[in-house]
Amino acid sequence: MKWRLQEGRGEAVYQIGVEDNGLLVGLAEEEMRASLKTLHRMAEKVGADITVLREREVDYDSDTPRKITEVLVRKVPDNQQFLDLRVAVLGNVDSGKSTLLGVLTQGELDNGRGRARLNLFRHLHEIQSGRTSSISFEILGFNSKGEVVNYSDSRTAEEICESSSKMITFIDLAGHHKYLHTTIFGLTSYCPDCALLLVSANTGIGMSKVDLCAKTTVERTVRQLERVLKQPGCHKVPMLVTSEDDAVTAAQQFAQSPNVTPIFTLSSVSGESLDLLKVFLNILPPLTNSKEQEELMQQLTEFQVDEIYTVPEVGTVVGGTLSSGICREGDQLVVGPTDDGCFLELRVCSIQRNRSACRVLRAGQAATLALGDFDRALLRKGMVMVSPEMNPIICSVFEAEIVLLFHATTFRRGFQVTVHVGNVRQTAVVEKIHAKDKLRTGEKAVVRFRFLKHPEYLKVGAKLLFREGVTKGIGHVTDVQAISAGEAQANMGF
């Protein structure tokens, strides 16, 4: 059990009544009671809790009824406060993203006019227009028994963190095309484990706002969605979740295969299927294994700067994700590159995760770091904070193998695009297309880009997305042309 919990990053599902070869033999009632008692004792020994997910009878050559029971065993690893899963919430404008998150995290249904989303908005114009323009984070906790822990009992964020053994962090992204750059930044920089896509059932293919539609309309739009998911460009396996049993199966299969796509038909007003979504999120295991995280933790510290704040009596605070290594209070790091290609020394004064204090940050975790009196004007989004011994490489010119997803005419040398690589977002110009003069929609090539404003910290192999108007493309970095701080000043005209 210890090994399985370690492999599953604190979670494991046991199937009682299934033989090692997968044969569903089931157990009689007395045998099942004894097996569950043994599992309880095992869990107590390692400090874990168990929750029965589902039971079902099996047809077996026996006169007595026999059952199979699936049990979730959960133990928060000793070096963590809670299990963590990041979910990006996407969808077109007015599809109900913020309203759904308001209902899930506040514990109260919506009134049909957007009351549930008001607590999520960060700006006055968002409240007035009802449209999200920035990236916000909301938390939904589950305790060791799988029960929801949210703000419904007037809890604070700190109390939710303390009471939860598993935490879902929702990244609420803007849906309006005017804020597309903000949405892409949220997807590329905040490293979500998975995405929740909402499309309103009353305006097209859908899964939210089903209270506004007749049953036949919902069924028709679900069939449309299934058709889209099965198309050659997607190659997904749609799975409509209509029962708790479906939700358990969907969570297990989603973790095993990237092609499985669960579909929930939800309403934030009537509450339809919200419990099924909660069951799914509670059981959904971490999508990276312990070995991968251990390897990342052995590397030198690298923290991506995604947000910058000034907090009274605290000073400058940065938010982001620790890409590799371990970060502790009091660590001495360097941050950069600045506009002239330099890295500046700083000290981490304190760390917070999900609005509660944290002494140690590990690879893959998101947090905010207080930097004391460090000058905020010297920081910008897209910087990295790294160990001084890393000797970070910066570049103004890099090459990437790309696929041009869409371009109205031909993609040529001299074309300018906005490039997104992790938390880096900057305009770059196409300097060269290797072995070709131009590119058309759907074509591949290795392209050399040059940043126009300042050098950036890039790594070979990093995923890349670029856009300009309707032009869109994806790829990965294949080469970076390292430069020194002096060369950066010369290249950028300092």
Side-chain angles (χ1 to χ4, degrees):
M1 182 178 282
K2 274 185 178 178
W3 180 83
R4 287 197 59 186
L5 287 170
Q6 186 180 352
E7 284 297 297
R9 301 269 301 276
E11 290 184 332
V13 174
Y14 279 80
Q15 294 179 319
I16 303 174
V18 180
E19 291 191 345
D20 292 342
N21 61 3
L23 184 64
L24 307 178
V25 295
L27 295 177
E29 189 175 342
E30 194 173 322
E31 294 171 327
M32 183 62 73
R33 258 202 311 269
S35 294
L36 287 173
K37 191 174 180 182
T38 302
L39 197 64
H40 266 290
R41 286 204 300 269
M42 290 166 60
E44 283 177 5
K45 290 282 185 184
V46 299
D49 293 289
I50 76 169
T51 308
V52 174
L53 296 178
R54 55 181 175 177
E55 292 182 331
R56 51 182 171 177
E57 290 192 3
V58 294
D59 292 327
Y60 195 72
D61 191 13
S62 173
D63 296 333
T64 57
R66 302 174 76 86
K67 287 184 178 179
I68 291 173
T69 302
E70 282 188 84
V71 180
L72 175 67
V73 183
R74 177 176 291 163
K75 179 185 186 296
V76 179
D78 296 333
N79 59 6
Q80 287 182 229
Q81 186 181 354
F82 44 74
L83 304 173
D84 194 14
L85 201 66
R86 288 195 293 277
V87 179
V89 183
L90 298 157
N92 194 27
V93 63
D94 299 332
S95 59
K97 299 180 295 299
S98 299
T99 300
L100 173 62
L101 296 190
V103 170
L104 288 173
T105 59
Q106 305 296 324
E108 288 185 15
L109 294 175
D110 188 52
N111 63 352
R113 296 187 296 277
R115 181 181 62 190
R117 69 190 175 195
L118 293 179
N119 290 324
L120 277 65
F121 288 149
R122 299 173 64 180
H123 305 290
L124 177 61
H125 71 86
E126 292 180 332
I127 296 172
Q128 292 169 339
S129 67
R131 292 176 176 175
T132 303
S133 65
S134 58
I135 301 169
S136 64
F137 299 86
E138 300 303 322
I139 55 174
L140 173 67
F142 293 95
N143 63 21
S144 57
K145 296 178 181 176
E147 298 165 339
V148 169
V149 183
N150 57 21
Y151 292 106
S152 58
D153 297 323
S154 300
R155 292 186 180 94
T156 63
E158 291 82 1
E159 289 171 340
I160 293 174
C161 292
E162 288 170 5
S163 305
S164 301
S165 59
K166 183 172 188 174
M167 189 75 70
I168 310 294
T169 302
F170 293 107
I171 306 168
D172 188 15
L173 300 171
H176 200 282
H177 66 88
K178 184 164 67 172
Y179 308 114
L180 178 63
H181 63 284
T182 303
T183 298
I184 293 174
F185 179 79
L187 283 172
T188 57
S189 63
Y190 290 108
C191 308
D193 296 294
C194 53
L196 174 64
L197 176 64
L198 271 82
V199 187
S200 177
N202 64 335
T203 56
I205 303 168
M207 60 180 275
S208 70
K209 298 189 178 181
V210 296
D211 57 290
L212 296 178
C213 303
K215 186 179 177 182
T216 52
T217 306
V218 174
E219 289 171 351
R220 186 177 68 248
T221 51
V222 166
R223 284 197 301 271
Q224 282 182 281
L225 180 55
E226 289 174 336
R227 241 187 344 262
V228 170
L229 290 169
K230 289 176 182 177
Q231 285 178 356
C234 284
H235 289 299
K236 299 294 183 183
V237 181
M239 181 178 180
L240 184 62
V241 177
T242 58
S243 67
E244 202 167 300
D245 195 62
D246 289 344
V248 173
T249 303
Q252 293 172 351
Q253 293 190 359
F254 182 76
Q256 293 166 5
S257 170
N259 293 330
V260 173
T261 306
I263 301 173
F264 297 84
T265 52
L266 306 172
S267 169
S268 296
V269 175
S270 69
E272 181 180 335
S273 296
L274 288 178
D275 285 343
L276 302 183
L277 181 59
K278 291 173 188 174
V279 168
F280 175 82
L281 292 170
N282 175 46
I283 301 168
L284 188 64
L287 301 180
T288 55
N289 60 41
S290 57
K291 186 179 178 183
E292 290 173 356
Q293 193 188 30
E294 283 293 330
E295 288 175 354
L296 285 172
M297 285 167 56
Q298 300 303 319
Q299 299 173 18
L300 293 171
T301 301
E302 180 185 318
F303 182 86
Q304 294 184 353
V305 177
D306 300 330
E307 298 281 352
I308 305 163
Y309 318 93
T310 300
V311 179
E313 299 181 14
V314 175
T316 301
V317 175
V318 294
T321 305
L322 189 67
S323 305
S324 62
I326 292 176
C327 182
R328 297 180 176 86
E329 285 185 0
D331 278 0
Q332 298 285 342
L333 303 174
V334 294
V335 64
T338 59
D339 286 354
D340 58 0
C342 296
F343 278 76
L344 310 173
E345 294 183 355
L346 54 76
R347 178 177 172 272
V348 178
C349 300
S350 62
I351 304 172
Q352 282 205 339
R353 283 190 68 209
N354 287 324
R355 301 164 202 169
S356 61
C358 169
R359 291 296 178 95
V360 181
L361 189 65
R362 291 173 173 80
Q365 296 178 342
T368 53
L369 312 183
L371 307 180
D373 57 1
F374 190 87
D375 187 358
R376 174 180 173 169
L378 299 174
L379 298 170
R380 60 175 174 81
K381 292 181 182 180
M383 283 184 164
V384 288
M385 293 165 47
V386 297
S387 301
E389 56 265 37
M390 184 182 279
N391 191 21
I393 296 171
I394 61 171
C395 70
S396 295
V397 177
F398 69 96
E399 292 189 348
E401 186 177 321
I402 68 161
V403 178
L404 189 61
L405 299 177
F406 182 80
H407 188 61
T409 55
T410 54
F411 187 79
R412 299 173 179 269
R413 183 184 171 208
F415 194 75
Q416 292 186 10
V417 293
T418 302
V419 172
H420 297 260
V421 185
N423 66 333
V424 170
R425 178 179 67 192
Q426 192 184 152
T427 303
V429 63
V430 176
E431 282 202 336
K432 183 179 180 181
I433 302 175
H434 287 281
K436 293 184 181 181
D437 294 328
K438 58 192 176 185
L439 284 178
R440 295 185 183 276
T441 298
E443 292 184 342
K444 294 182 180 181
V446 174
V447 176
R448 185 196 300 157
F449 294 94
R450 177 183 290 275
F451 288 123
L452 291 184
K453 193 172 181 185
H454 44 66
E456 299 282 11
Y457 171 79
L458 296 184
K459 285 171 141 181
V460 171
K463 292 179 182 175
L464 170 145
L465 186 149
F466 62 88
R467 61 179 179 85
E468 178 54 44
V470 295
T471 301
K472 294 178 181 67
I474 56 173
H476 65 274
V477 177
T478 56
D479 183 52
V480 294
Q481 296 185 13
I483 56 173
S484 64
E487 289 176 309
Q489 292 180 25
N491 288 347
M492 298 298 169
F494 289 99

